[in-house]
Amino acid sequence: MSVNDRYVISPHRPLRCLGVALIIVLLTNAIQAWYHYHDSYDSDQALAELQKQHKQTLADHHDLLKKQHQALNNLNDHQQQLALQRAMTEELELRLGELQQKVFNLNKELVFYQTITQGNSTSELQIREFQLRKDTTEADQYRFRIVITQGQNLNDPITGQVEVTLNHINADAEQSSTTATEHSLNLRHVQVLEGAFKTEMEATPQSITVTLRQNGNILLSRDFEWLPE
């Protein structure tokens, strides 16, 4: 290469440079717009997906709340049914116990009456049985049961009064008696009397006297020890 070939003189073309710069600017803007479009599209897609998931989550939450409410209602119904069943079971057990005790008492009465009617007892007037037990409802109250019998064939029943007397012994060894209760006597073959009376808390009777009276006269009197069941 010669010395003269090192330098080439070209004519000045300003429009060409401006065009190249404009193309570069347009390409840059196009590339930026393309990236912005794709970023915006991806963001819109992500937002739409999140909104869809949020809507589904709300629906699932509402469904779970509904199921929880139904489960609580079912639990309450089950607890109420269980409580009702327990109450019914307790009531039935109580009634069964009462019926069993009633059957026991009826069987006892039946055997007793069969003994009377079969002629295995004396024909005399008797205070055949006296039972005493402490009342469970009141501390100073006692319940009693008296069985009176006679085996004669009477046209009219024996009438009068049945008197229950409590016998005490004080500190001076003196005896005193207090009438606890009275009942009507109306006896043909068997009469069963049941009732209750109260005692003084500080004074325990030593014995009990059951007296049958008719027109002021004593038909029969019998003493029993103070032995409450």
Side-chain angles (χ1 to χ4, degrees):
M1 178 181 295
S2 64
V3 176
N4 294 328
D5 294 335
R6 291 180 180 180
Y7 302 97
V8 179
I9 298 174
S10 299
H12 181 62
R13 299 176 179 175
L15 294 178
R16 182 178 178 182
C17 293
L18 181 61
V20 171
L22 182 60
I23 290 172
I24 293 173
V25 170
L26 291 175
L27 287 175
T28 302
N29 290 337
I31 292 172
Q32 290 179 349
W34 184 81
Y35 276 110
H36 177 72
Y37 170 77
H38 279 279
D39 288 343
S40 177
Y41 178 79
D42 293 339
S43 298
D44 291 342
Q45 287 291 100
L47 179 60
E49 184 64 24
L50 287 175
Q51 289 176 341
K52 181 179 179 181
Q53 292 179 0
H54 180 259
K55 184 177 181 181
Q56 183 62 40
T57 302
L58 289 177
D60 294 340
H61 180 258
H62 178 73
D63 185 57
L64 288 176
L65 287 177
K66 185 177 180 180
K67 291 180 178 179
Q68 182 188 24
H69 182 71
Q70 184 64 35
L72 289 175
N73 288 338
N74 294 337
L75 178 61
N76 291 333
D77 293 340
H78 179 70
Q79 289 176 343
Q80 292 177 358
Q81 292 177 0
L82 183 60
L84 180 60
Q85 184 177 4
R86 287 178 178 174
M88 292 179 62
T89 301
E90 292 177 357
E91 179 66 21
L92 290 175
E93 288 178 350
L94 179 61
R95 292 183 60 186
L96 179 60
E98 293 175 350
L99 289 175
Q100 288 176 340
Q101 183 62 39
K102 186 175 182 180
V103 169
F104 174 78
N105 293 334
L106 289 175
N107 288 334
K108 185 177 178 180
E109 293 288 344
L110 179 60
V111 172
F112 175 76
Y113 290 139
Q114 285 176 344
T115 302
I116 297 297
T117 56
Q118 289 173 0
N120 296 328
S121 64
T122 178
S123 61
E124 296 179 356
L125 180 64
Q126 287 187 318
I127 302 173
R128 188 181 185 91
E129 181 179 325
F130 179 81
Q131 294 180 357
L132 182 67
R133 68 179 185 276
K134 191 174 182 60
D135 198 326
T136 58
T137 59
E138 297 186 41
D140 58 342
Q141 181 164 285
Y142 293 84
R143 306 194 69 83
F144 66 89
R145 182 176 185 269
I146 302 172
V147 179
I148 306 169
T149 65
Q150 70 86 25
Q152 299 182 28
N153 187 14
L154 300 177
N155 294 326
D156 297 321
I158 300 175
T159 59
Q161 294 79 37
V162 179
E163 183 181 279
V164 179
T165 304
L166 305 182
N167 303 314
H168 299 81
I169 298 178
N170 56 28
D172 298 329
E174 295 181 356
Q175 183 172 339
S176 61
S177 299
T178 303
T179 300
T181 183
E182 290 185 352
H183 289 266
S184 297
L185 176 64
N186 190 2
L187 172 67
R188 185 178 295 275
H189 295 289
V190 179
Q191 183 175 359
V192 179
L193 298 176
E194 293 184 342
F197 60 82
K198 291 187 177 182
T199 62
E200 297 180 2
M201 294 292 294
E202 64 277 4
T204 301
Q206 300 297 319
S207 62
I208 298 177
T209 301
V210 180
T211 304
L212 309 184
R213 296 180 182 273
Q214 185 180 57
N215 299 325
N217 299 319
I218 297 178
L219 298 177
L220 181 64
S221 182
R222 182 177 175 183
D223 294 332
F224 297 90
E225 294 185 15
W226 179 262
L227 297 173
E229 297 178 359

